[in-house]
Amino acid sequence: MAHEEPLNGFTGFNRKKSSFQYSRSAEASSPHGEVPFDLEKLDEMPSSGRRWAWVEIDLSAIRNNVLEAKRRLRPGCRLMAVVKADAYGHGAVRVARTALNSGADELAVATVDEGVELRKAGIHAPILVLAEPPASSIPLLLGYHIMPAVYTPEFALAYAEMADAHGMKAPFHLAVNTGMNRIGVRAEEIIDFERTVSFHRALEQVGTFTHFATADMPENIDFTIQVHRFTEAIDALRVAGIDPGTVHAANSAALLRYPQTHFDMARLGISLYGFHPCNETRGTVNLKPAMSVYARITECKQVPMSEGVSYGLNYRSTGSVKICTLPIGYADGLNRALSSRVNFILDGTYVPQVGNICMDQCMFEVDMRTYGTRRRLDPQIGDVVTVVGQQGDAVTTITEMAYTLHTIEHELAIAFSHRLPRVYV
Ligand SMILES: *Cc1c(COP(=O)(O)O)cnc(C)c1O
């Protein structure tokens, strides 16, 4: 038969036993048999014992950022903590709890599942999904008391019908498109929209909101136009006798820059995590980044002069350096495009990452020459290296990385959470 007689005739290395046996005794246990370890106990092994790379989240920084935002809100204005995308990579449940304990009033997520996760963790604050989910998810919305953003009559009516059938209300926030053209009923069409759905007794408009496209840019007319359209839309609702509920528009940038956009509530996203939404807010508010990223050295060696390092061997050793390896790579969010363009911190000193960043590992260089008064580093396996964060005067930031990659901090912060354990302090 073909599978016994390979075409090339090679039958070598054909082992009699089909697989390796861990047991040293003759009566070997089956692969699924007893092992001398309590596997349930092993589940409790802390992440720091499993992997030498991790993300640290400073919850006191989250608290600080909530308080800083609240200090700038107009009196009586509510604060909505935006914890979508697993709280921008920081961990939705822990961040949500901290934000609520620090004075946030409501939560926003992007998907129904993100809302369900918060409810399952025992969080009772109002939760808004910032977009209209598929109608098939309506039982989840009602079952877990998660409010949708609404902007199509089809969804609104399906939502109302199901709520009504179960003797429930169907609370929602109306999304208004005032110029960003992502989602929402166009501002001039909201009265028509309301007329289309208003007959349904279960629907309850608990909020009305819009989103700005350019609040983080230098002062611009497009922003002013959006504010104007939104204000007019809210006025039109009131004139028509429709209660818009909680009116909200501001994201982090508008919250920090434009008090006239606070209305009844503001939505704090990126600045909840300690990032400035734009250069204009630097120096005006004391935000603290909550995320740091660390790894321990897993290998450290002298590499002979002119030998290469990592895929492609683009980097060549000068001979007077040690090359250290960290168990963190682009699968952990250390973007491959940062290869050779980022510094880490070892013992309070910047060390340049060298060679291509791999999927699970990357390397950095330590200059071992002694000259002047320069302090010589002595890297050892197990030493902690700061990938993102501060050590003494040395600091590496997601903001810098975002600048290097021509992107925004949101994208990089979210990426760091994928596979790295998160440690809360
Ligand atoms: C993501 C998001 C926010 C938060 O924006 P930041 O700029 O991160 O503060 C607010 N509102 C809506 C509708 C969003 O999608």
Side-chain angles (χ1 to χ4, degrees), residues 216 252-254 256-257 270-271 275-279 281 287 409-410:
D216 58 348
S252 297
L256 296 174
R257 297 177 75 194
I270 194 67
S271 296
F275 298 107
H276 285 276
C278 50
N279 281 326
T281 64
L287 299 172
E409 291 105 331
H410 309 52

Side-chain angles (χ1 to χ4, degrees), residues 29 59 74 91 171 187 211 216 224 233 239 278 304-305 317 377 407 422:
S29 57
L59 292 174
R74 294 216 292 219
H211 193 46
D216 58 348
T224 312
V239 166
C278 50
M305 187 168 84
S317 168
L377 292 173
T407 184
R422 268 191 224 107

Side-chain angles (χ1 to χ4, degrees), residues 5-228:
E5 201 83 50
L7 281 180
N8 63 7
F10 181 79
T11 57
F13 308 134
N14 216 352
R15 293 161 54 118
K16 286 286 168 281
K17 278 181 187 153
S18 60
S19 69
F20 178 80
Q21 294 287 357
Y22 274 93
S23 177
R24 283 190 280 120
S25 65
E27 57 274 14
S29 57
S30 81
H32 309 293
E34 291 294 298
V35 291
F37 293 95
D38 180 344
L39 297 187
E40 273 173 28
K41 262 244 158 59
L42 292 186
D43 276 347
E44 291 162 19
M45 181 188 287
S47 54
S48 57
R50 299 164 183 253
R51 193 162 175 216
W52 271 1
W54 65 97
V55 165
E56 188 178 281
I57 305 296
D58 179 0
L59 292 174
S60 71
I62 300 284
R63 181 175 177 81
N64 169 80
N65 302 332
V66 169
L67 296 177
E68 284 290 308
K70 276 185 74 90
R71 201 166 301 148
R72 275 154 189 83
L73 282 180
R74 294 216 292 219
C77 182
R78 293 164 73 78
L79 185 68
M80 176 176 256
V82 181
V83 295
K84 64 191 181 188
D86 204 19
Y88 292 38
H90 294 63
V93 171
R94 298 297 292 269
V95 169
R97 282 206 188 107
T98 305
L100 293 168
N101 288 339
S102 308
D105 303 283
E106 307 201 13
L107 299 169
V109 295
T111 69
V112 176
D113 279 348
E114 289 174 352
V116 170
E117 184 195 1
L118 296 172
R119 286 287 182 251
K120 284 187 171 166
I123 289 169
H124 299 296
I127 297 176
L128 172 66
V129 182
L130 292 168
E132 196 179 82
S136 45
S137 72
I138 289 170
L140 287 168
L141 296 175
L142 292 169
Y144 285 97
H145 293 182
I146 296 166
M147 288 181 289
V150 166
Y151 46 87
T152 69
E154 294 76 18
F155 180 90
L157 295 177
Y159 181 47
E161 300 267 297
M162 185 164 292
D164 209 28
H166 294 87
M168 295 176 74
K169 292 262 184 196
F172 70 99
H173 287 231
L174 178 70
V176 185
N177 173 15
T178 56
M180 180 161 165
N181 288 313
R182 183 170 69 176
I183 58 164
V185 179
R186 284 188 70 86
E188 65 273 20
E189 290 166 6
I190 60 169
I191 298 297
D192 280 346
F193 177 88
E194 301 278 359
R195 287 210 184 99
T196 312
V197 301
S198 64
F199 69 91
H200 215 297
R201 60 180 177 177
L203 281 176
E204 193 158 313
Q205 189 163 338
V206 297
T208 303
F209 75 104
T210 192
H211 193 46
F212 297 123
T214 60
D216 58 348
M217 290 164 69
E219 303 242 354
N220 60 87
I221 186 73
D222 296 302
F223 176 77
T224 312
I225 289 170
Q226 281 200 272
V227 176
H228 183 72

